Amino acid sequence: TARIKASHAKKPINLVVIDHIGLIRASRKDENPRATISNTMKALRAISKELNIAIIIGSQINRGGSDYPKLERYCCITPQTAP
């Protein structure tokens, strides 16, 4: 989110595209992948509202089933659709 804010401060942006949410690194060493994705999504939603920008996020689909959070509802976060 710091990189998004810095880019927006230099030149206002309207759209951020993240091509693979699963490759974002944990902010803490002890976080599990589920917590990392959850915390990342919360931060991205907040920055979307704060800067009034749209964020599009891609994610790899695991069809074998897993305990990762369901990301379908986060396919596109915009200030107008974010709760």
Side-chain angles (χ1 to χ4, degrees):
T1 59
R3 193 185 280 175
I4 294 170
K5 282 184 178 183
S7 294
H8 188 71
K10 288 180 185 176
K11 182 179 179 187
I13 55 176
N14 297 318
L15 175 68
V16 173
V17 178
I18 299 172
D19 69 345
H20 198 304
I21 191 77
L23 296 179
I24 292 178
R25 289 172 280 171
S27 57
R28 294 183 353 202
K29 293 275 187 195
D30 60 340
E31 270 189 342
N32 64 39
R34 183 180 184 142
T36 299
I37 291 173
S38 178
N39 291 335
T40 300
M41 295 306 300
K42 288 176 187 174
L44 290 171
R45 178 173 287 188
I47 196 109
S48 173
K49 284 182 166 184
E50 178 184 335
L51 300 178
N52 195 32
I53 60 174
I55 300 178
I56 298 173
I57 303 165
S59 177
Q60 182 176 347
I61 297 174
N62 180 352
R63 298 199 187 275
S66 69
D67 61 350
Y68 288 95
K70 303 292 183 206
L71 298 177
E72 302 90 47
R73 66 187 182 139
Y74 297 117
C75 66
C76 184
I77 300 171
T78 65
Q80 292 79 26
T81 61

